[in-house]
Amino acid sequence: MNRAVWWRVRRRENRRLVRSSRSRHRWSAGVVLSMLLPGVLGLGGTVLARYAEQHPYFTVQEVIVEGSAGFSSEDVQEWSGVTIGTSMWEIDPEQVEARLLAHSWIQSARVRRDFPQRLHVSISVRRPVAAVLHDGLMFLDETGSCFTKPEQGVTPDLPYVSGVAGEPLDSPTMRSALDGVLRLLSLTRLWQESLSEIHWDAQHGYSLFLQHRRITIRLGWETTPEKFAQIGVVLARWPKEAPAAVFDARFADQIVVQPYAVESGAQDRALSRPL
């Protein structure tokens, strides 16, 4: 082999050996660093975490409340159990949400920590559609759930539901009765008449009492849209200044109007012609 050629080949081999050696050194250093780094960071992280947990900078200085319709932000903060000055690290959002949901009038709750000093609380409050007279005053929302309201909450002007006392509200009978109440509330919106009371009877069904007119409507178990349309026609024709009366809607295709007796003990009420 020519000496010049041999020299070039030998130089290339030496370069490969040098690169291989450097690569092994770099690989060995990377392995060592990767083995040592977690321990170093773990030790430093623990020290930093303990320092942050105890530092007053990471404490709650503001609680932002959203969706507290009818209640003050201070009330919601009190129910959450979080006080100003609490360490942000000690707050478990899921536990705070559970404390809020323990109040039956709160339908949903979401809690988020915003480091370093702020807590966000977002709640949705149940919207009552009727007041239920059942071993005390309760409220019915549009999902069919019954709940109590705190004393400091604003009590809206709602129709009362009577006749359901004495039986558990979660029983099949009461669930069916309250579902019927929701259906009635939906259908009575067609009348443009405010309800004062919905009375439920296990044997005779529903009776409705209007708020601004002295009219009682006996529905029985008839809660179809067609029947409510018939009642609406009679209400429109019945004079505003007419005496107190009962609209009996338990008959097929007709509404029977029965005036109340003027005096107690008067003779039997006479039925008018069906309308």
Side-chain angles (χ1 to χ4, degrees):
M1 178 182 298
N2 186 298
R3 176 177 291 275
V5 174
W6 177 86
W7 175 254
R8 287 195 296 271
V9 172
R10 183 62 178 172
R11 189 166 55 180
R12 285 197 296 269
E13 290 178 353
N14 289 339
R15 288 175 180 173
R16 286 197 296 269
L17 290 174
V18 171
R19 285 197 297 267
S20 176
S21 176
R22 290 175 179 174
S23 177
R24 284 198 299 271
H25 284 300
R26 286 197 299 268
W27 181 84
S28 299
V31 171
V32 173
L33 182 59
S34 65
M35 294 174 63
L36 294 178
L37 188 58
V40 173
L41 291 180
L43 178 60
T46 301
V47 173
L48 290 175
R50 290 177 179 173
Y51 176 78
E53 289 175 359
Q54 299 173 1
H55 200 285
Y57 182 68
F58 295 97
T59 57
V60 178
Q61 298 300 317
E62 184 180 11
V63 178
I64 299 177
V65 178
E66 300 175 353
S68 59
F71 306 104
S72 68
S73 298
E74 291 75 15
D75 290 335
V76 176
Q77 180 179 333
E78 181 181 352
W79 302 331
S80 73
V82 177
T83 58
I84 299 299
T86 302
S87 171
M88 291 287 289
W89 307 99
E90 295 178 357
I91 297 175
D92 184 340
E94 292 186 357
Q95 290 183 359
V96 178
E97 291 170 0
R99 284 197 291 269
L100 291 169
L101 292 175
H103 300 275
S104 63
W105 62 89
I106 297 179
Q107 189 170 19
S108 66
R110 184 179 179 183
V111 176
R112 176 173 58 85
R113 294 181 298 178
D114 185 7
F115 283 93
Q117 299 177 336
R118 186 176 296 164
L119 187 71
H120 289 265
V121 178
S122 178
I123 65 173
S124 63
V125 180
R126 296 188 183 277
R127 191 177 73 87
V129 295
V132 181
L133 301 177
H134 184 274
D135 300 331
L137 186 63
M138 302 192 71
F139 295 88
L140 179 71
D141 72 2
E142 52 195 356
T143 69
S145 298
C146 285
F147 61 98
T148 57
K149 288 190 68 175
E151 294 181 358
Q152 63 266 41
V154 178
T155 301
D157 186 14
L158 298 170
Y160 286 91
V161 179
S162 60
V164 297
E167 183 152 357
L169 290 173
D170 58 353
S171 68
T173 299
M174 284 295 97
R175 295 308 316 161
S176 177
L178 294 176
D179 287 344
V181 168
L182 292 177
R183 190 163 56 253
L184 295 178
L185 290 172
S186 176
L187 291 170
T188 53
R189 294 192 184 103
L190 301 174
W191 298 345
Q192 298 182 346
E193 294 277 357
S194 299
L195 291 182
S196 172
E197 181 182 344
I198 300 175
H199 182 78
W200 178 83
D201 184 273
Q203 295 182 347
H204 302 291
Y206 298 96
S207 296
L208 309 182
F209 301 85
L210 300 186
Q211 184 172 6
H212 302 298
R213 302 177 69 178
R214 297 182 298 168
I215 295 176
T216 301
I217 302 172
R218 292 177 180 168
L219 284 173
W221 303 107
E222 186 66 74
T223 59
T224 62
E226 293 78 12
K227 179 59 68 175
F228 276 75
Q230 292 177 357
I231 298 172
V233 172
V234 178
L235 284 173
R237 294 173 56 183
W238 192 252
K240 298 288 185 180
E241 64 280 2
V246 175
F247 287 12
D248 198 334
R250 295 173 295 177
F251 304 95
D253 300 325
Q254 62 182 10
I255 309 296
V256 175
V257 178
Q258 178 181 354
Y260 280 116
V262 176
E263 298 178 3
S264 177
Q267 58 183 349
D268 294 339
R269 303 163 182 160
L271 294 178
S272 68
R273 63 181 181 84
L275 299 177

